[in-house]
């Protein structure tokens, strides 16, 4: 299968020269182990996966022997299955301080991993998040080398994308195996993916006893992507109580399937709402769960705007995570229903962003940007991410940017 180069490869290469242990987290099948194995080609670094039950049993029963049989330099895939390994990795790291990049670890249960890391490997480990393929990675466009911020700068390659082409990318999703293998049946792929996710991650780690009901929950959540999170509504639609809905949402967040965009809440005002927005991190999985059979039906359907917003938020997150940065990203919505889809903060400056399914953005699309002045911070260039085929200023303070130029 062909390999698509990842933006964050040089980030991990640099980290491996600084830290004794590197941990790469992200949902299943985003390409973590594939990238690390590609980086290890031509070296003596061994690859071992704890998805293999023999390896997992040994790592659980005798972690010291496991490391003796799989000594560094080594890639250990899905390390969350054997948390006791962290203690023995710490011992090795402390005894071999000169051995940078000894362990490359991956895991698809970030918060479970963090507990073991904080207890055993603090100060010894570099931690990075990987999401699915970005549009640039999928189309082999030049990497920008920096996270997204609104700018008047033109696209680096001058190529334009039609709305139809963009929605094909959105509908297909960002998981590398599906993107690269053109013969893969999309529905079969996602059906298998969901089944594997529920069996491996949900049942193994979270003791969810009703997998069929959890699948229904997953589908209901997918239908609400891009909306303010409403646990009462979700619980009612699935037939569970609110506490279960909150717990199951935590499962989705911990395993990297959804992202909760939390509101900007400075101390100077209490009028800003506290409810986050929820976004699916893979739009292809979201479109599959909500039963859109083709890109064209998705583009003209009731979820067209929400899925475009979901896609844009995901691409912005990728531009940060894949460059080794943690995004300072929020939504803004106050008690008067004034809303800004995204607020990015960089060096004390706020950058407002709206996402619109239009090729003709106007003043009505960014009228809420002025509300950020209440926050008593510098407000930088704003942007309307949209389907207009070229980047153009809308006024002195706002620029329209094609979604595919993120």
């Amino acid at each position: 299968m062909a390999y698509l180069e990842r933006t964050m490869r040089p980030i991990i290469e640099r980290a491996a020269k600084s830290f004794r242990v590197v941990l790469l987290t992200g949902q299943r099948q985003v390409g973590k182990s594939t990238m690390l194995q590609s980086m290890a080609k031509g070296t003596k670094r061994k690859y071992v996966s704890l998805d293999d039950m023999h390896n997992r049993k040994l790592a659980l029963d005798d972690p010291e022997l496991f490391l003796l049989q799989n000594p560094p330099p080594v890639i250990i895939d899905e390390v969350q299955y054997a948390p006791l390994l962290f203690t023995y990795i710490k011992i090795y790291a402390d005894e071999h301080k000169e051995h940078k990049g000894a362990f490359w670890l991956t895991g698809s249960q970030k918060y479970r991993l963090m507990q073991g890391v904080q207890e055993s490997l603090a100060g010894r480990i570099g931690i990075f998040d990987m999401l699915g393929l970005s549009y640039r990675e999928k189309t082999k466009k030049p990497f920008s080398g920096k996270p997204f911020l609104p700018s008047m700068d033109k696209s680096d390659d001058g190529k334009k994308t039609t709305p139809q082409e963009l929605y094909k990318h959105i509908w297909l999703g960002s998981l590398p195996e599906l993107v690269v293998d053109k013969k893969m049946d999309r529905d079969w792929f996602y059906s298998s993916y969901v089944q594997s996710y529920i069996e491996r991650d949900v049942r193994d780690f979270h003791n969810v006893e009703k997998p069929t009901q959890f699948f229904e929950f997953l589908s209901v959540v997918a239908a609400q992507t891009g909306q303010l999170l409403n646990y009462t509504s979700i619980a009612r639609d699935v037939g569970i109580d609110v506490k279960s809905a909150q717990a199951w949402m935590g499962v989705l967040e911990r395993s990297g399937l959804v992202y909760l965009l939390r509101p900007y809440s400075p101390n100077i005002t209490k009028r800003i709402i506290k409810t986050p927005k929820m976004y699916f991190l893979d739009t292809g999985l979201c479109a599959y769960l909500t039963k859109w059979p083709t890109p064209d039906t998705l583009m003209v359907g009731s979820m067209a705007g929400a899925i475009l917003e979901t896609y844009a938020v995901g691409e912005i997150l990728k531009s940060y995570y894949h460059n080794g940065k943690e995004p300072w990203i929020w939504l803004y919505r106050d008690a008067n229903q004034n809303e800004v889809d995204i607020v990015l903060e960089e060096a004390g400056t706020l950058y407002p962003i709206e996402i619109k399914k239009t090729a003709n953005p106007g003043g009505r699309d960014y009228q809420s940007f002025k509300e950020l002045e209440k926050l008593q911070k510098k407000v930088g260039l704003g942007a309307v991410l949209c389907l207009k085929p070229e980047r153009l200023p809308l006024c002195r303070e706002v620029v329209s940017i094609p979604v595919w130029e993120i």
Side-chain angles (χ1 to χ4, degrees):
M1 185 172 70
Y3 172 71
L4 291 175
E5 197 59 72
R6 304 305 298 263
T7 309
M8 72 185 314
R9 177 170 180 152
I11 304 299
I12 301 301
E13 288 174 341
R14 292 206 306 271
K17 295 176 182 178
S18 301
F19 295 98
R20 285 160 272 172
V21 184
V22 175
L23 171 62
L24 188 57
T25 70
Q27 78 177 83
R28 285 188 175 275
Q29 297 192 32
V30 293
K32 303 182 297 294
S33 60
T34 300
M35 184 187 75
L36 294 182
Q37 288 181 81
S38 173
M39 291 169 58
K41 278 186 178 179
T43 72
K44 295 181 179 180
R45 187 177 298 272
K46 184 178 180 180
Y47 169 82
V48 56
S49 174
L50 298 191
D51 271 335
D52 182 295
M53 294 305 296
H54 295 290
N55 293 331
R56 189 187 306 181
K57 186 176 188 305
L58 180 59
L60 287 169
D61 294 346
D62 196 337
E64 186 173 15
L65 178 59
F66 173 88
L67 290 182
L68 287 173
Q69 292 187 0
N70 301 285
V74 63
I75 300 169
I76 304 177
D77 200 10
E78 300 297 351
V79 70
Q80 74 271 2
Y81 285 119
L84 289 178
L85 276 177
F86 289 123
T87 298
Y88 293 90
I89 291 173
K90 172 186 179 295
I91 293 170
Y92 182 94
D94 287 345
E95 292 178 349
H96 302 81
K97 294 182 179 180
E98 77 289 349
H99 193 171
K100 304 297 185 183
F103 296 92
W104 294 356
L105 313 177
T106 81
S108 54
Q109 288 287 332
K110 180 178 178 180
Y111 295 95
R112 185 182 179 93
L113 284 165
M114 290 306 101
Q115 182 178 358
V117 167
Q118 290 168 356
E119 292 173 354
S120 302
L121 291 170
R124 305 166 180 84
I125 188 169
I127 304 169
F128 301 89
D129 293 313
M130 177 180 273
L131 302 181
L133 292 165
S134 69
Y135 180 80
R136 288 180 177 273
E137 290 168 332
K138 289 169 71 174
T139 58
K140 302 181 181 179
K141 293 180 68 175
F143 300 146
S144 65
K146 57 185 179 181
F148 174 80
L149 281 177
S151 167
M152 293 287 190
D153 296 340
K154 299 291 185 179
S155 172
D156 45 21
D157 62 5
K159 294 181 180 178
K160 298 177 181 179
T161 300
T162 67
Q164 290 79 10
E165 291 170 335
L166 180 64
Y167 271 86
K168 285 181 182 178
H169 285 282
I170 293 172
W171 180 82
L172 186 65
S174 60
L175 300 183
E177 185 177 355
L178 185 57
V179 171
V180 171
D181 187 351
K182 305 301 183 184
K183 296 181 180 179
M184 177 75 72
D185 184 283
R186 168 189 173 273
D187 289 354
W188 290 354
F189 176 87
Y190 281 122
S191 174
S192 175
Y193 183 92
V194 170
Q195 181 179 351
S196 176
Y197 166 70
I198 291 175
E199 291 297 326
R200 288 181 175 181
D201 291 338
V202 175
R203 298 189 75 171
D204 284 355
F205 283 109
H206 305 286
N207 301 315
V208 174
E209 298 178 353
K210 298 179 179 179
T212 302
Q213 196 169 37
F214 189 87
F215 174 77
E216 185 178 357
F217 168 79
L218 195 59
S219 300
V220 168
V221 170
Q224 296 192 19
T225 188
Q227 298 180 26
L228 292 171
L229 190 53
N230 187 330
Y231 287 115
T232 301
S233 171
I234 293 171
R236 182 185 63 245
D237 291 347
V238 181
I240 56 178
D241 58 47
V242 171
K243 286 186 177 180
S244 294
Q246 292 172 331
W248 288 4
M249 184 64 70
V251 172
L252 299 186
E253 188 179 15
R254 287 192 293 274
S255 50
L257 263 68
V258 303
Y259 182 83
L260 300 186
L261 182 62
R262 291 173 170 84
Y264 192 90
S265 54
N267 295 329
I268 63 170
T269 177
K270 296 182 179 179
R271 291 174 61 80
I272 298 176
I273 62 154
K274 298 180 180 180
T275 305
K277 267 190 175 182
M278 182 277 302
Y279 295 95
F280 250 70
L281 283 171
D282 186 79
T283 55
L285 177 59
C286 184
Y288 165 77
L289 289 167
T290 47
K291 296 181 172 61
W292 295 99
T294 66
D296 290 339
T297 58
L298 179 61
M299 185 174 69
V300 300
S302 59
M303 282 186 64
I307 203 78
L308 182 68
E309 182 177 331
T310 298
Y311 176 80
V313 170
E315 290 295 296
I316 291 173
L317 291 174
K318 290 169 190 176
S319 81
Y320 282 82
Y321 290 142
H322 294 179
N323 281 291
K325 303 289 186 181
E326 188 71 25
W328 290 58
I329 179 172
W330 298 275
L331 68 88
Y332 176 90
R333 191 169 190 266
D334 63 27
N336 296 322
Q337 310 302 311
N338 297 305
E339 180 174 329
V340 179
D341 288 335
I342 296 174
V343 178
L344 291 171
E345 184 170 6
E346 178 75 17
T349 299
L350 303 179
Y351 296 86
I353 299 169
E354 278 291 313
I355 305 157
K356 300 294 182 182
K357 184 180 178 282
T358 179
N360 187 30
R364 64 191 180 282
D365 296 317
Y366 57 86
Q367 61 186 1
S368 291
F369 288 2
K370 64 181 183 294
E371 301 298 326
L372 298 188
E373 296 172 3
K374 299 175 183 176
L375 304 179
Q376 299 180 13
K377 283 197 171 186
K378 181 180 177 182
V379 179
L381 183 67
V384 178
L385 298 174
C386 59
L387 303 181
K388 193 175 184 67
E390 55 189 352
R391 188 179 304 219
L392 288 173
L394 298 177
C395 66
R396 294 181 66 179
E397 297 84 17
V398 182
V399 61
S400 73
I401 301 176
V403 174
W404 52 88
E405 286 191 10
I406 295 173

